[in-house]
Amino acid sequence: MEIKAEINGAEYRVSTESLDITQQGGAVSTSNIDILVPAGQIPPRALSSCIVYFDDVPIFGGDIASVSSPAFATGKEARRFRLAVNSWETRLNNRLVSEAFENQLTHDIVQTLFDNYIAGEGFTLGAISTTTQQYDNYNCSYTKLYDILTELA
C-alpha cells in the first residue's frame, strides 16, 4: 500500500500517521494531509492543486488552502508539512455566475455553465442525463456556481 500526493506535478510521500481525508459526494470538504518533503525538494504552496493517490488510484483532489511548516527539534527529522486541502467542489463556490437562459432544457443549461465557467480548468464532465424540464426564463446574477448546480439538480 502506497499513499502519495501529486502537487503541481511533483510527487510527495504522504504520512499515514495522521491522514484525515473527508469526502462526501458532491459536498465541499476540507482534509488534512501530512506530506514528507526530503531535503532539496521545494515545499508546496497554498492554492496549489493536490491529488492524493492510493496505489496509483486517485482518491481525493483539491486545492491547498494552507501549509503549516514542521516543528524541528534536532534538524534530523523528516520535514513534515501539514496541508489543509479544500475539495475541488470549493472551486464551484468560487465561481460567480451571471447568465440568463431562455427556453432552455436543464441539461443544456448545465452544459453551458460547465463550458463557460470550469471546462478550462482541466475538469472533465461526466454524463448529463437528458432532461425534459424546460425553463422559459432562468436567470442568475452573481450566484455561486455550486448553488446553481444544486438547484438545477
Side-chain angles (χ1 to χ4, degrees), residues 5 7 55 58 65 82 146:
I7 302 169
D55 288 337
R82 169 144 292 198
Y146 184 89

Side-chain angles (χ1 to χ4, degrees), residues 101-112:
F101 298 96
E102 190 174 311
N103 297 320
Q104 293 282 319
L105 296 169
T106 303
H107 64 275
D108 292 328
I109 295 172
V110 170
Q111 182 68 55
T112 300

